[in-house]
Amino acid sequence: MSGTVTAVSSNGDYSFTKPNRDSVRLLAGLGVEGDVHAGVTVKHRSRVAQDPTQPNLRQVHLIHEELFAEVREEGFKVAPGELGENITTRGIDLLGLPVGTLLRIGASAVLEVTGLRNPCLQIDNFQDGLLKQVVGRDEAGNIVRKAGIMSIVREGGVVSPGDTIDMELPSGPHRPLDRV
């Protein structure tokens, strides 16, 4: 199964949204060049406050464009980059991927999926009530997070809208994604 990059976004300043770019450069072991969340250790403010030496498993944030259509049906308008993601995709069930899946993007970039984004109250500050659209519970009472996935950069490269995304599932038993 393959998908497509529909938008790329980055921001060198702490801000909930990230402006769209013509391309972004992924740096192996770091993240998106010039993005505030790039680095070997955690950069997200709440995680830095807990332990600034933790490895950064959230170097690159991906969201499936299909989520925007889903929340639009509930009256919300969300565009690429507005939920803070670096790469917006189409055609891949990001939330259904197992931990360790490799995403080969464009000519040379490779991301390794580490887990789910844990949506926070900033989403409601962006649009009141949106948080309930991207996090909820299933019939069994389990928490369902739909605000995208997180990854680390295994191999760097330039990523642009229109690039193809190919998946390589990990060998062995697959572990479902959990928040990181």
Side-chain angles (χ1 to χ4, degrees):
M1 179 167 69
S2 65
T4 306
V5 173
T6 60
V8 293
S9 311
S10 67
N11 198 340
D13 296 319
Y14 276 104
S15 173
F16 182 70
T17 62
K18 295 185 180 193
N20 294 153
R21 309 288 182 192
D22 293 332
S23 65
V24 293
R25 178 177 302 279
L26 302 182
L27 304 174
L30 295 174
V32 178
E33 182 177 52
D35 192 80
V36 70
H37 291 106
V40 174
T41 57
V42 292
K43 301 300 174 195
H44 194 274
R45 289 177 173 168
S46 66
R47 297 186 187 258
V48 169
Q50 290 173 354
D51 178 3
T53 66
Q54 295 176 72
N56 187 2
L57 301 178
R58 302 165 54 99
Q59 293 174 356
V60 181
H61 176 200
L62 298 93
I63 283 186
H64 50 297
E65 185 178 71
E66 293 85 352
L67 176 65
F68 304 155
E70 183 181 323
V71 299
R72 191 175 309 115
E73 291 177 12
E74 300 299 323
F76 297 91
K77 184 178 178 190
V78 180
E82 289 186 336
L83 294 182
E85 77 276 11
N86 300 110
I87 299 175
T88 308
T89 69
R90 182 184 320 120
I92 293 181
D93 177 14
L94 294 176
L95 304 177
L97 297 175
V99 172
T101 299
L102 297 180
L103 300 175
R104 299 183 183 282
I105 306 175
S108 61
V110 179
L111 299 177
E112 180 181 335
V113 176
T114 56
L116 296 168
R117 176 191 185 183
N118 192 28
C120 65
L121 286 175
Q122 288 186 41
I123 292 177
D124 268 351
N125 293 337
F126 172 67
Q127 286 185 43
D128 190 42
L130 184 57
L131 182 59
K132 286 185 179 180
Q133 301 300 313
V134 298
V135 65
R137 295 196 180 269
D138 64 15
E139 301 79 32
N142 300 309
I143 295 175
V144 176
R145 295 172 178 87
K146 299 189 281 186
I149 64 170
M150 307 309 286
S151 64
I152 57 174
V153 181
R154 287 291 178 207
E155 295 179 30
V158 175
V159 176
S160 303
D163 283 350
T164 299
I165 306 168
D166 292 311
M167 294 183 317
E168 183 181 321
L169 297 175
S171 60
H174 292 172
R175 291 185 303 137
L177 297 178
D178 199 1
R179 68 185 178 98
V180 291

